[in-house]
Amino acid sequence: MHLASLELRDFRRYVHADLELGPGVTVLEGANGAGKTTILEAAAWVALGRSFRGVPDATLVRDGAETAVVRAAVRSGSDGVGRHQTLDAELRRAGRNRVLVNGHALARARDRLDLLRVTIFTPDDLALVKGGPAGRREYLDDLLGFLAARYDAARADYEKVLRHRNALLKGGLRGADAQHTLEVFDEQLARAGAELVRGRLRLVGRLEAHLGAAYAALAGRPAEVAGRYEADWAPDGIDPDDAEAVLRDALVALHRREVERGVTLAGPHRDEWRILLDGMDARTHASQGEQRCLALALRLGGHAVGRETIGAAPVLLLDDVFSELDPTRADALAAALPAGQTLITTATTIPTAVRPERHLRVEAGRVLAGAA
Amino acid sequence: MASVYEGPIQALIDELGRLPGVGPKSAQRIAFHLLKIPPEDVARLATTIVEAKRQVTWCRRCFNFATGDLCTYCLDERRDRTVCCVVEEARDIVAVERTHEFHGSYHVLQGAIAPIEGVGPEQLRIKELLARIGDEGITEVILATNPNIEGEATAMYLARLCKPLEIRVTRLASGLPVGGDLEYADEITLGRALEGRRDL
């Protein structure tokens, strides 16, 4: 799949921009603050239905406008020559957003993924490696939801059950009724949690080979990248077939402490996926450069798993990726860029090995066609 | 929405806006409609609301709406009292009745367990259900709560309570909508239907 064109209207600082795009690498070049990332944000919004920066949709509407519009012409299909289809997104400052596929309202939010999927890397992704476990859990769960709708549902179910259970625990659990209710939510938490954990474990297994390959290509040296899924409720490791029973038993054993603390103390919301580089915890032992490479490898690995699953490469959006890498690693990335469509923003020159198909200059909220 | 109308108009909009499913825009539209129509039409609506509220109470047995002591289903002698379909709300009875497949009795819980909203088993008509099982000779309880987190939790809670009573406890199946096309089924429902597949 690829974006054949992208049109922005009243989206952040853009009054209007029309970009001709196509397969291969497109470089968006411009000074800091020119609006390069905004182009990627618009493309990602169409695919995800939200900003990858995590900001509210209303803030994406240009000051002075009521509605922002992003219109994407998409070529779907594994070879990128499939039908031309359009995705229109209207973001309103107040009221409901609207997404149209070929002029028709989208029946289900997920249906847009049949047309367009994106993998996005931003410099903030360093936190995936350097930060706490929450970011890595989110990375896994986002990727899971991207791969199969049931995991979006499992995640939403889990979060809901967790909120109910925490509310119950905060209430102090007085009386036999409350005790029985807690047991019911133990069971539900274990069921939804085990589903989520089984998905994470399968994903982690599939990711590992891709991570290693992506990292080795970027770092220019063979390296052993491994992920270790750790759960306090299963200290000896998780048997996927047994996860539900083990988690439920762990919750039952924690009841007293949980009532004291008023929160759920075991489950996938507290698990850790530790990334090991040559056997050492990358969060604490890897250098800044290695961590950057790993963060990028995480996104490229997820990209590869996505391509495997859906049979077509998602559109790869790389925000300001070269400024973060030393020249050797930048060259390595250029050589390792997967086939398919890639949009790269940069404030500096890009390595010669990139060989872009298209070169666009971005200046103060305007897109100018540049010399290729 | 800020108060931009004169006292009584705004008060009406505010009251209407408190109704379920009525947003600020709808509240405003209904209010303007009421102010435009003849006074006798408004009076009729007001009387109807007050009268309905005065006459309609809960059925003493199943907690469906009733205009007397018992609701229509509890008064109907032809219904099978040994099977009881447990639903969250009175409106769910209407949905089950439309099938014309069920001829047993009902029990309305008047909600579902939802600790986030502060609803526990004690706020629901659960004690009353247990009393009925003992008194009425119910042999099967069909748990027809909604297939969401709260409905499932409520069903699970009830199933545990009913277990020692040695009665049959069943739960509605979840699966594909009949008459629909497979290609239009959402992935979650289709996934559940695959999980619950049967041998032929």
Side-chain angles (χ1 to χ4, degrees), chain B:
Chain B
M1 201 180 268
S3 313
V4 283
Y5 298 107
E6 281 181 55
I9 306 175
Q10 192 59 47
L12 180 59
I13 293 174
D14 291 347
E15 281 302 322
L16 290 168
R18 259 178 239 178
L19 299 174
V22 181
K25 282 233 170 79
S26 301
Q28 186 175 311
R29 235 176 66 211
I30 299 168
F32 286 174
H33 171 77
L34 291 173
L35 295 172
K36 227 162 60 188
I37 60 177
E40 53 272 25
D41 287 3
V42 176
R44 197 176 57 240
L45 175 62
T47 324
T48 311
I49 293 173
V50 172
E51 273 305 297
K53 187 68 194 165
R54 194 179 62 80
Q55 288 179 26
V56 178
T57 54
W58 305 120
C59 170
R60 173 173 57 81
R61 192 184 284 160
C62 76
F63 299 94
N64 182 18
F65 291 118
T67 47
D69 206 22
L70 294 173
C71 73
T72 37
Y73 306 108
C74 288
L75 285 169
D76 188 346
E77 292 297 329
R78 291 165 304 175
R79 299 195 81 101
D80 182 357
R81 301 250 158 265
T82 62
V83 185
C84 182
C85 178
V86 179
V87 295
E88 290 180 20
E89 302 290 347
R91 60 171 181 264
D92 300 330
I93 292 182
V94 181
V96 178
E97 277 301 300
R98 273 203 301 261
T99 66
H100 301 293
E101 296 281 339
F102 180 71
H103 308 288
S105 62
Y106 289 101
H107 189 85
V108 182
L109 295 169
Q110 299 186 332
I113 295 175
I116 299 170
E117 277 101 53
V119 180
E122 61 283 2
Q123 273 88 35
L124 306 176
R125 302 290 183 176
I126 290 176
K127 276 195 295 292
E128 292 85 344
L129 173 67
L130 294 178
R132 282 183 69 189
I133 292 171
D135 297 348
E136 294 176 32
I138 291 171
T139 57
E140 179 180 355
V141 167
I142 302 172
L143 300 173
T145 50
N146 289 330
N148 54 25
I149 299 290
E150 296 78 11
E152 290 292 346
T154 310
M156 221 185 268
Y157 183 88
L158 290 174
R160 283 163 163 254
L161 283 184
C162 292
K163 207 164 187 192
L165 305 177
E166 288 182 354
I167 54 167
R168 187 166 179 223
V169 180
T170 54
R171 176 91 176 105
L172 290 190
S174 60
L176 294 172
V178 178
D181 290 327
L182 212 55
E183 64 168 321
Y184 292 124
D186 70 280
E187 295 96 319
I188 313 295
T189 307
L190 193 51
R192 294 257 163 88
L194 265 176
E195 261 170 33
R197 67 187 181 278
R198 292 176 290 139
D199 288 313
L200 281 180

Side-chain angles (χ1 to χ4, degrees), chain A residues 216-351:
Chain A
L218 291 171
R221 68 170 178 94
E224 191 198 319
V225 183
R228 196 167 67 205
Y229 194 88
E230 299 170 3
D232 284 344
W233 49 274
D236 304 324
I238 302 166
D239 172 3
D241 297 327
D242 223 20
E244 186 173 334
V246 173
L247 178 52
R248 188 178 48 234
D249 292 348
L251 288 167
V252 171
L254 283 166
H255 277 181
R256 250 229 320 263
R257 273 180 55 208
E258 289 187 321
V259 175
E260 280 169 21
R261 301 267 303 273
V263 286
T264 298
L265 292 173
H269 66 295
R270 295 171 70 95
D271 294 351
E272 161 73 297
W273 181 46
R274 203 177 295 282
I275 296 168
L276 306 173
L277 178 60
D278 294 323
M280 303 286 265
D281 188 345
R283 185 183 174 188
T284 46
H285 286 72
S287 72
Q288 180 95 344
E290 287 170 331
Q291 289 179 337
R292 282 193 199 289
C293 270
L294 274 171
L296 192 51
L298 280 172
R299 292 301 181 199
L300 293 176
H303 185 75
V305 171
R307 190 185 52 220
E308 255 175 32
T309 307
I310 60 173
V315 176
L316 184 59
L317 307 173
L318 301 174
D319 189 23
D320 205 11
V321 66
F322 289 114
S323 68
E324 303 283 337
L325 300 173
D326 61 47
T328 325
R329 283 177 174 143
D331 279 341
L333 171 63
L337 278 180
Q341 186 179 36
T342 304
L343 270 58
I344 302 177
T345 67
T346 185
T348 56
T349 52
I350 52 159

Side-chain angles (χ1 to χ4, degrees), chain A residues 108 110-111 149-150 153 157 160-161 163-165 167-168 177-178 180-181 183-185 187-188 191 195, chain B residues 113-117 121-122 148-150 152-154 156-157 160-161 183-188 192 195:
Chain A
R108 287 183 298 262
R110 267 194 84 85
D111 289 352
R150 61 182 295 191
D157 277 0
K160 190 82 181 281
V161 173
R163 287 204 295 137
H164 275 310
R165 197 171 181 278
L168 197 60
D177 282 354
H180 286 139
T181 311
E183 284 164 23
V184 165
F185 280 104
E187 209 149 310
Q188 282 204 316
R191 189 186 293 171
E195 165 95 356
Chain B
I113 295 175
I116 299 170
E117 277 101 53
E122 61 283 2
N148 54 25
I149 299 290
E150 296 78 11
E152 290 292 346
T154 310
M156 221 185 268
Y157 183 88
R160 283 163 163 254
L161 283 184
E183 64 168 321
Y184 292 124
D186 70 280
E187 295 96 319
I188 313 295
R192 294 257 163 88
E195 261 170 33

